[in-house]
Amino acid sequence: MQLTTKILLGLGLGILVGLILTGSPDIATTYIKPFGTLFLNLIKMIIVPLVFSSLIVGAASVGDVKKLGRIGGKTVGYYLCTTAIAVTIGLILGNVFEPGAGMTIPVTAEIATKEAPALVDTLLNIFPKNPLKGLVEGNMLQIICFALFLGIGATSLPEEKGKPFIDFFDSLAEIMYKITAFIMSLAPYGVFALIAPVVATNGPAVLLPLLKVIIAVYIGCILHAVLVYSSAVKAFAKISPIKFFKGIMPAALTAFSTTSSSGTLPVSIKCVRENLGVSEGVSSFVLPLGATINMDGTALYQGVCALFVAQVYGLDLSMSQQLTIILTATLASIGTAGVPGAGFIMLTMVVKSVGLPLEGVALIGGIDRVLDMARTCVNVIGDTSAAAVIAATEGELHYPDEKISA
């Protein structure tokens, strides 16, 4: 039985057990959730050493600083374009479904707002004053920056001095890939243990009043993945949508259950390298960057939820306000990079940018975990599509009929 099938079974069984335990959520939280937490901890354990080592090797394998800049420009451009498309799809669906129309939910909860850092501050914070502190804290942008400098610096040295350094991190990266494979063999159990408590705690009852929001977000995520990502991969990488989605399915399912783009990163790297044939250099650069700044699913969710809040309060958003939402959500995808709870911060930013009542965000709180699963899944699919597209444009994609190295 393939790993993807096992993960799907774990997901289905988790939902079933969660529904059975809806009346007794404490059982799921006490006895099942710890296994899910353990699985997440194992994944988080390998993120920093895997990203750090693979980025150094990736930068060293590119060697040319101009080429690295070209790949970086393509990657950021791809992410910003797809994010703008995603939030546009969200706004269209929000207008079509009108999820907040006719709802009269009293809003009493206070929202503790947290300002997102300014874009300039985020860009300056990419360059670490203390790189070791960045590694310890898991600051992905700083880790990416420091690793790129080390990789480029190592290739600038004479071979006898730079090669031992690169060989060490190459060996470390291969070790991390092996550990990733072992952890992924536990994924079906981890997915089961993560989903069951969520379903048991929330149950179907809490989801029904806000079902239209959930349906709009999920339809938007599916449309974005099928129309935008598969079209891009087909046009640039010449990979059929079926092969693409089949190849990245383990990463998509892991993202759906863990709601963590960074936590899914080891799986994403493994999928694009082994199943899509993306080179080590491109995957080691594009995917960590995407896990940090690419928020297509989150941006789509912003569009739907902003209109939902407006409709609940009986407010009409003009076309210029909706364009403001597109711009704010697109720029916020970079501006909130590396900030815990980035999706929530982005939503408060978007709501404030068009003058909507901030308390409306509280209405989304009860279903945010359900929405988070869909938007994180789309974020990760977007990362993997970018890796395939960038690799193809750089001539570093081994097509399915060729031998793909692990």
Side-chain angles (χ1 to χ4, degrees):
M1 190 183 294
Q2 291 186 342
L3 179 61
T4 303
T5 308
K6 291 179 181 178
I7 294 175
L8 278 172
L9 280 174
L11 189 66
L13 285 172
I15 292 171
L16 180 63
V17 171
L19 289 172
I20 294 171
L21 296 176
T22 299
S24 308
D26 291 343
I27 296 175
T29 304
T30 305
Y31 298 104
I32 299 177
K33 189 177 180 180
F35 293 98
T37 304
L38 174 62
F39 175 66
L40 276 182
N41 289 347
L42 288 173
I43 289 180
K44 291 176 181 177
M45 175 183 73
I46 63 174
I47 292 172
V48 170
L50 173 62
V51 171
F52 189 59
S53 58
S54 62
L55 266 177
I56 290 174
V57 176
S61 63
V62 171
D64 185 2
V65 177
K66 288 184 178 179
K67 182 180 178 182
L68 202 61
R70 186 175 69 246
I71 293 174
K74 288 179 183 178
T75 303
V76 174
Y78 181 89
Y79 286 147
L80 289 179
C81 286
T82 55
T83 299
I85 295 170
V87 70
T88 303
I89 291 174
L91 287 171
I92 292 171
L93 289 172
N95 281 302
V96 171
F97 277 85
E98 296 187 338
M103 292 186 68
T104 54
I105 301 177
V107 180
T108 56
E110 293 184 4
I111 299 297
T113 58
K114 187 177 178 183
E115 290 290 335
L119 182 58
V120 174
D121 293 336
T122 301
L123 294 176
L124 289 175
N125 194 46
I126 292 173
F127 301 92
K129 291 180 288 187
N130 184 348
L132 294 181
K133 183 182 178 184
L135 285 166
V136 170
E137 293 179 349
N139 188 316
M140 296 305 296
L141 283 174
Q142 293 187 358
I143 291 171
I144 290 169
C145 179
F146 186 47
L148 291 177
F149 273 111
L150 286 175
I152 294 168
T155 55
S156 304
L157 293 173
E159 186 176 348
E160 67 271 11
K161 291 190 176 181
K163 194 172 184 300
F165 177 85
I166 296 170
D167 286 344
F168 169 78
F169 282 101
D170 188 26
S171 178
L172 177 60
E174 291 300 325
I175 291 170
M176 299 317 296
Y177 294 137
K178 285 293 182 183
I179 295 175
T180 299
F182 166 72
I183 294 173
M184 279 311 298
S185 67
L186 303 175
Y189 309 102
V191 167
F192 168 84
L194 286 166
I195 290 295
V198 173
V199 177
T201 302
N202 295 314
V206 76
L207 306 181
L208 292 177
L210 297 165
L211 191 59
K212 287 172 77 174
V213 178
I214 297 171
I215 291 173
V217 170
Y218 271 70
I219 288 177
C221 288
I222 293 169
L223 284 175
H224 190 65
V226 171
L227 297 179
V228 179
Y229 297 146
S230 61
S231 298
V233 169
K234 179 67 176 175
F236 291 98
K238 304 297 186 290
I239 298 175
S240 73
I242 294 174
K243 286 186 178 179
F244 169 68
F245 285 114
K246 186 178 179 181
I248 56 92
M249 190 57 68
L253 290 172
T254 303
F256 186 80
S257 55
T258 63
T259 65
S260 171
S261 296
S262 296
T264 310
L265 188 56
V267 190
S268 302
I269 292 175
K270 181 179 172 65
C271 285
V272 300
R273 286 182 63 188
E274 295 182 359
N275 300 336
L276 301 184
V278 176
S279 69
E280 183 179 336
V282 171
S283 62
S284 298
F285 178 81
V286 173
L287 290 174
L289 191 62
T292 310
I293 70 169
N294 181 39
M295 296 187 178
D296 287 5
T298 307
L300 189 150
Y301 147 91
Q302 313 299 327
V304 174
C305 291
L307 280 177
F308 168 75
V309 172
Q311 290 158 5
V312 165
Y313 284 91
L315 303 171
D316 290 324
L317 293 181
S318 66
M319 184 57 67
S320 63
Q321 286 178 306
Q322 296 195 31
L323 288 173
T324 301
I325 290 174
I326 294 174
L327 181 63
T328 305
T330 302
L331 294 178
S333 67
I334 292 179
T336 57
V339 179
F344 178 79
I345 291 171
M346 284 177 68
L347 185 55
T348 60
M349 285 178 65
V350 168
V351 167
K352 285 171 67 178
S353 72
V354 290
L356 293 174
L358 199 60
E359 292 82 359
V361 178
L363 300 175
I364 308 296
I367 58 169
D368 190 63
R369 181 64 168 77
V370 178
L371 298 175
D372 201 6
M373 293 190 290
R375 65 183 187 240
T376 305
C377 183
V378 168
N379 291 346
V380 168
I381 295 174
D383 297 344
T384 58
S385 73
V389 168
I390 303 302
T393 60
E394 290 293 321
E396 296 188 27
L397 185 71
H398 308 281
Y399 289 98
D401 57 337
E402 299 180 26
K403 185 179 178 181
I404 299 172
S405 61

